[in-house]
Amino acid sequence: MERLYEQGISDVRVLEVIRSTPRHLFLDEALAHRAYEDAALPIGFNQTLSQPYIVARMTELLLAGGRPRRVLEIGTGSGYQTAVLAGLVDELFSMERIRTLQEKARLRLRELAIHNVTLRHADGFTGWADKGPFDGIITTAAPLAIPRELCEQLAPGGRLVIPAGPEHAQHLHVVTRTDQGFDTRVVEPVRFVPLLGGTVR
Ligand code: SAH
């Protein structure tokens, strides 16, 4: 936690939830010993569990406007970021397009007695309009450009935290829904797997 603090993460709610979420449970056994390194790690299917700093940073940005009650996550993956978010919001909806990853994530969340999460195996590129609007939306994979549909599913004052851009020039963005429309801020360079549209497997 000290490392995250030194890296600039100062929200104590985020630091506390990360401290109490066992990252090793979200990795395959062969990699579990590396769970507490400050590195992105493979979770199969060419996907990765983000580096702890990025998980913390995105969570902190999502919470910066106050405690979001209803949140949508796109890219459940291992379920680690899902577990972190579940401890900080009232209700979480999380979408994943690879069924095997989603099923594993479901078992892990159950094991940790996390019950405020609704998982769905589906393409999340255009969000989950039926469950919206959301106080917060977070994607853990990067589209080339920010999908308009995700912005539209934000409640007034809601925030979308999203990496976007071409493979070697991605940036983390925060889009806030204001009375006038949308306010987009570029935060910092990042490296994510692509947010794929149109297919599930
Ligand atoms: N937050 C995850 C990181 C997973 S990597 C974790 O903590 O482990 C990104 C995930 O996004 C992958 O599992 C990938 O399958 C998923 N993904 C990519 N495009 C998607 C889409 N359009 N809809 C839903 N999930 C998607």
Short mmCIF file of all heavy atoms in Angstrom, two decimals, residues 43 47-50 73-81 95-98 101 122-125 140-141 193-197, ligand 1:
data_model
loop_
_atom_site.label_atom_id
_atom_site.label_comp_id
_atom_site.label_asym_id
_atom_site.label_seq_id
_atom_site.Cartn_x
_atom_site.Cartn_y
_atom_site.Cartn_z
N ILE A 43 -4.03 -13.47 -17.69
CA ILE A 43 -5.15 -14.24 -17.13
C ILE A 43 -5.72 -15.21 -18.18
O ILE A 43 -6.80 -15.75 -18.02
CB ILE A 43 -6.28 -13.31 -16.61
CG1 ILE A 43 -6.82 -12.38 -17.71
CG2 ILE A 43 -5.81 -12.51 -15.40
CD1 ILE A 43 -8.05 -11.57 -17.30
N GLN A 47 -5.45 -11.89 -22.40
CA GLN A 47 -5.92 -10.77 -21.58
C GLN A 47 -5.03 -10.63 -20.35
O GLN A 47 -4.31 -11.57 -19.99
CB GLN A 47 -7.38 -11.00 -21.16
CG GLN A 47 -8.32 -11.24 -22.33
CD GLN A 47 -8.33 -10.09 -23.32
OE1 GLN A 47 -8.31 -8.93 -22.94
NE2 GLN A 47 -8.36 -10.41 -24.61
N THR A 48 -5.07 -9.46 -19.72
CA THR A 48 -4.22 -9.26 -18.55
C THR A 48 -4.98 -8.61 -17.40
O THR A 48 -5.91 -7.83 -17.60
CB THR A 48 -3.02 -8.33 -18.88
OG1 THR A 48 -3.52 -7.16 -19.51
CG2 THR A 48 -2.01 -9.00 -19.77
N LEU A 49 -4.55 -8.96 -16.20
CA LEU A 49 -5.01 -8.28 -15.01
C LEU A 49 -4.12 -7.05 -14.87
O LEU A 49 -2.90 -7.17 -14.85
CB LEU A 49 -4.81 -9.21 -13.80
CG LEU A 49 -5.61 -9.00 -12.52
CD1 LEU A 49 -5.29 -10.05 -11.50
CD2 LEU A 49 -5.51 -7.63 -11.96
N SER A 50 -4.71 -5.87 -14.78
CA SER A 50 -3.91 -4.64 -14.78
C SER A 50 -3.00 -4.57 -13.55
O SER A 50 -3.25 -5.16 -12.52
CB SER A 50 -4.82 -3.41 -14.76
OG SER A 50 -5.63 -3.38 -15.90
N GLU A 73 -19.13 -1.80 -15.13
CA GLU A 73 -17.75 -2.12 -15.51
C GLU A 73 -17.79 -2.94 -16.80
O GLU A 73 -18.58 -3.87 -16.91
CB GLU A 73 -17.08 -2.95 -14.41
CG GLU A 73 -15.69 -3.43 -14.78
CD GLU A 73 -15.11 -4.45 -13.80
OE1 GLU A 73 -15.80 -5.42 -13.46
OE2 GLU A 73 -13.96 -4.27 -13.40
N ILE A 74 -16.93 -2.59 -17.74
CA ILE A 74 -16.86 -3.37 -18.98
C ILE A 74 -15.49 -4.03 -19.04
O ILE A 74 -14.46 -3.33 -19.03
CB ILE A 74 -17.13 -2.48 -20.20
CG1 ILE A 74 -18.58 -1.96 -20.08
CG2 ILE A 74 -16.97 -3.27 -21.49
CD1 ILE A 74 -18.81 -0.68 -20.80
N GLY A 75 -15.48 -5.36 -19.09
CA GLY A 75 -14.24 -6.13 -19.05
C GLY A 75 -14.00 -6.71 -17.67
O GLY A 75 -13.05 -6.33 -16.98
N THR A 76 -14.84 -7.66 -17.25
CA THR A 76 -14.71 -8.28 -15.93
C THR A 76 -13.36 -8.96 -15.78
O THR A 76 -12.74 -8.90 -14.71
CB THR A 76 -15.83 -9.36 -15.73
OG1 THR A 76 -17.07 -8.84 -16.16
CG2 THR A 76 -15.90 -9.82 -14.29
N GLY A 77 -12.92 -9.64 -16.84
CA GLY A 77 -11.63 -10.34 -16.81
C GLY A 77 -11.55 -11.30 -15.65
O GLY A 77 -12.44 -12.14 -15.45
N SER A 78 -10.51 -11.18 -14.85
CA SER A 78 -10.33 -12.06 -13.69
C SER A 78 -11.35 -11.77 -12.59
O SER A 78 -11.55 -12.59 -11.70
CB SER A 78 -8.93 -11.86 -13.12
OG SER A 78 -8.85 -10.55 -12.54
N GLY A 79 -11.92 -10.57 -12.60
CA GLY A 79 -12.84 -10.18 -11.54
C GLY A 79 -12.15 -9.39 -10.42
O GLY A 79 -12.80 -8.98 -9.45
N TYR A 80 -10.85 -9.15 -10.56
CA TYR A 80 -10.14 -8.44 -9.48
C TYR A 80 -10.63 -6.99 -9.33
O TYR A 80 -11.01 -6.55 -8.24
CB TYR A 80 -8.63 -8.48 -9.73
CG TYR A 80 -7.87 -7.65 -8.72
CD1 TYR A 80 -7.77 -8.05 -7.39
CD2 TYR A 80 -7.28 -6.44 -9.09
CE1 TYR A 80 -7.10 -7.27 -6.45
CE2 TYR A 80 -6.60 -5.66 -8.17
CZ TYR A 80 -6.51 -6.08 -6.85
OH TYR A 80 -5.86 -5.30 -5.93
N GLN A 81 -10.63 -6.26 -10.45
CA GLN A 81 -11.11 -4.87 -10.36
C GLN A 81 -12.58 -4.85 -9.92
O GLN A 81 -13.01 -3.96 -9.19
CB GLN A 81 -10.94 -4.18 -11.72
CG GLN A 81 -11.63 -2.83 -11.83
CD GLN A 81 -10.72 -1.63 -11.68
OE1 GLN A 81 -9.75 -1.46 -12.43
NE2 GLN A 81 -11.02 -0.79 -10.72
N MET A 95 -19.65 -6.54 -17.33
CA MET A 95 -19.82 -7.30 -18.57
C MET A 95 -18.49 -7.86 -19.05
O MET A 95 -17.45 -7.19 -18.95
CB MET A 95 -20.39 -6.38 -19.67
CG MET A 95 -21.67 -5.72 -19.24
SD MET A 95 -22.24 -4.52 -20.46
CE MET A 95 -22.94 -5.61 -21.68
N GLU A 96 -18.54 -9.09 -19.60
CA GLU A 96 -17.32 -9.72 -20.13
C GLU A 96 -17.71 -10.53 -21.36
O GLU A 96 -18.69 -11.26 -21.35
CB GLU A 96 -16.71 -10.63 -19.05
CG GLU A 96 -15.59 -11.54 -19.51
CD GLU A 96 -14.44 -10.78 -20.16
OE1 GLU A 96 -13.87 -9.89 -19.53
OE2 GLU A 96 -14.12 -11.10 -21.33
N ARG A 97 -16.89 -10.41 -22.43
CA ARG A 97 -17.25 -11.10 -23.67
C ARG A 97 -16.68 -12.52 -23.77
O ARG A 97 -17.05 -13.27 -24.66
CB ARG A 97 -16.83 -10.27 -24.89
CG ARG A 97 -15.35 -10.01 -24.99
CD ARG A 97 -15.01 -9.18 -26.21
NE ARG A 97 -14.97 -9.98 -27.42
CZ ARG A 97 -13.95 -10.76 -27.77
NH1 ARG A 97 -12.88 -10.87 -27.01
NH2 ARG A 97 -14.00 -11.43 -28.91
N ILE A 98 -15.77 -12.91 -22.87
CA ILE A 98 -15.22 -14.28 -22.91
C ILE A 98 -15.83 -15.09 -21.76
O ILE A 98 -15.58 -14.81 -20.58
CB ILE A 98 -13.67 -14.25 -22.81
CG1 ILE A 98 -13.10 -13.46 -24.00
CG2 ILE A 98 -13.12 -15.67 -22.77
CD1 ILE A 98 -11.60 -13.28 -23.97
N LEU A 101 -13.71 -16.65 -18.80
CA LEU A 101 -13.22 -15.66 -17.83
C LEU A 101 -14.36 -15.24 -16.90
O LEU A 101 -14.20 -15.14 -15.68
CB LEU A 101 -12.65 -14.43 -18.54
CG LEU A 101 -11.33 -14.65 -19.29
CD1 LEU A 101 -10.92 -13.36 -20.00
CD2 LEU A 101 -10.23 -15.09 -18.33
N ALA A 122 -21.59 -10.75 -22.32
CA ALA A 122 -22.06 -10.02 -23.48
C ALA A 122 -21.01 -9.02 -23.92
O ALA A 122 -20.07 -8.72 -23.18
CB ALA A 122 -23.35 -9.27 -23.15
N ASP A 123 -21.17 -8.52 -25.14
CA ASP A 123 -20.32 -7.46 -25.65
C ASP A 123 -20.73 -6.15 -24.96
O ASP A 123 -21.90 -5.75 -25.04
CB ASP A 123 -20.55 -7.36 -27.16
CG ASP A 123 -19.71 -6.26 -27.80
OD1 ASP A 123 -19.01 -5.53 -27.06
OD2 ASP A 123 -19.78 -6.12 -29.02
N GLY A 124 -19.79 -5.52 -24.31
CA GLY A 124 -20.11 -4.30 -23.56
C GLY A 124 -19.78 -3.02 -24.31
O GLY A 124 -19.82 -1.94 -23.72
N PHE A 125 -19.43 -3.13 -25.58
CA PHE A 125 -18.98 -1.95 -26.32
C PHE A 125 -20.00 -0.82 -26.28
O PHE A 125 -19.64 0.35 -26.22
CB PHE A 125 -18.67 -2.32 -27.77
CG PHE A 125 -17.79 -1.33 -28.46
CD1 PHE A 125 -16.40 -1.43 -28.35
CD2 PHE A 125 -18.32 -0.27 -29.19
CE1 PHE A 125 -15.57 -0.50 -28.98
CE2 PHE A 125 -17.49 0.66 -29.81
CZ PHE A 125 -16.12 0.54 -29.70
N THR A 140 -12.09 -1.65 -18.71
CA THR A 140 -10.72 -2.10 -18.43
C THR A 140 -10.07 -2.63 -19.70
O THR A 140 -9.14 -3.42 -19.65
CB THR A 140 -10.70 -3.12 -17.28
OG1 THR A 140 -11.42 -4.29 -17.69
CG2 THR A 140 -11.37 -2.57 -16.05
N ALA A 141 -10.58 -2.17 -20.84
CA ALA A 141 -9.97 -2.43 -22.14
C ALA A 141 -10.18 -1.14 -22.94
O ALA A 141 -11.09 -0.36 -22.63
CB ALA A 141 -10.64 -3.61 -22.83
N VAL A 193 -5.29 -3.78 -23.20
CA VAL A 193 -5.73 -4.63 -24.30
C VAL A 193 -6.90 -3.91 -24.99
O VAL A 193 -7.55 -3.07 -24.38
CB VAL A 193 -6.20 -6.03 -23.82
CG1 VAL A 193 -5.03 -6.80 -23.22
CG2 VAL A 193 -7.34 -5.94 -22.82
N PRO A 194 -7.16 -4.22 -26.27
CA PRO A 194 -8.24 -3.50 -26.98
C PRO A 194 -9.63 -3.86 -26.48
O PRO A 194 -9.88 -5.01 -26.12
CB PRO A 194 -8.06 -3.92 -28.44
CG PRO A 194 -7.24 -5.16 -28.41
CD PRO A 194 -6.43 -5.14 -27.16
N LEU A 195 -10.51 -2.88 -26.45
CA LEU A 195 -11.94 -3.12 -26.22
C LEU A 195 -12.50 -3.53 -27.57
O LEU A 195 -12.52 -2.74 -28.50
CB LEU A 195 -12.64 -1.86 -25.71
CG LEU A 195 -14.12 -2.02 -25.38
CD1 LEU A 195 -14.30 -2.77 -24.06
CD2 LEU A 195 -14.82 -0.68 -25.29
N LEU A 196 -12.93 -4.78 -27.65
CA LEU A 196 -13.39 -5.31 -28.93
C LEU A 196 -14.88 -5.11 -29.05
O LEU A 196 -15.60 -5.21 -28.06
CB LEU A 196 -13.04 -6.79 -29.03
CG LEU A 196 -11.54 -7.09 -28.91
CD1 LEU A 196 -11.30 -8.58 -28.79
CD2 LEU A 196 -10.79 -6.52 -30.11
N GLY A 197 -15.33 -4.83 -30.24
CA GLY A 197 -16.77 -4.63 -30.43
C GLY A 197 -17.34 -5.71 -31.32
O GLY A 197 -16.68 -6.23 -32.20
N1 SAH B 1 -10.32 -5.68 -15.02
C1 SAH B 1 -9.82 -6.94 -15.48
C2 SAH B 1 -8.91 -6.74 -16.66
C3 SAH B 1 -9.22 -7.67 -17.77
S1 SAH B 1 -8.48 -7.31 -19.33
C4 SAH B 1 -9.18 -7.67 -14.34
O1 SAH B 1 -9.14 -7.09 -13.23
O2 SAH B 1 -8.75 -8.81 -14.50
C5 SAH B 1 -9.85 -6.65 -20.22
C6 SAH B 1 -11.06 -7.52 -20.35
O3 SAH B 1 -12.00 -6.86 -21.20
C7 SAH B 1 -10.80 -8.88 -20.99
O4 SAH B 1 -11.26 -9.90 -20.14
C8 SAH B 1 -11.59 -8.82 -22.30
O5 SAH B 1 -12.14 -10.07 -22.67
C9 SAH B 1 -12.68 -7.82 -21.95
N2 SAH B 1 -13.32 -7.16 -23.10
C10 SAH B 1 -12.72 -6.62 -24.19
N3 SAH B 1 -13.64 -6.08 -25.01
C11 SAH B 1 -14.86 -6.29 -24.42
C12 SAH B 1 -16.20 -5.97 -24.79
N4 SAH B 1 -16.50 -5.32 -25.90
N5 SAH B 1 -17.20 -6.33 -23.93
C13 SAH B 1 -16.93 -6.98 -22.78
N6 SAH B 1 -15.67 -7.31 -22.39
C14 SAH B 1 -14.64 -6.97 -23.20
#
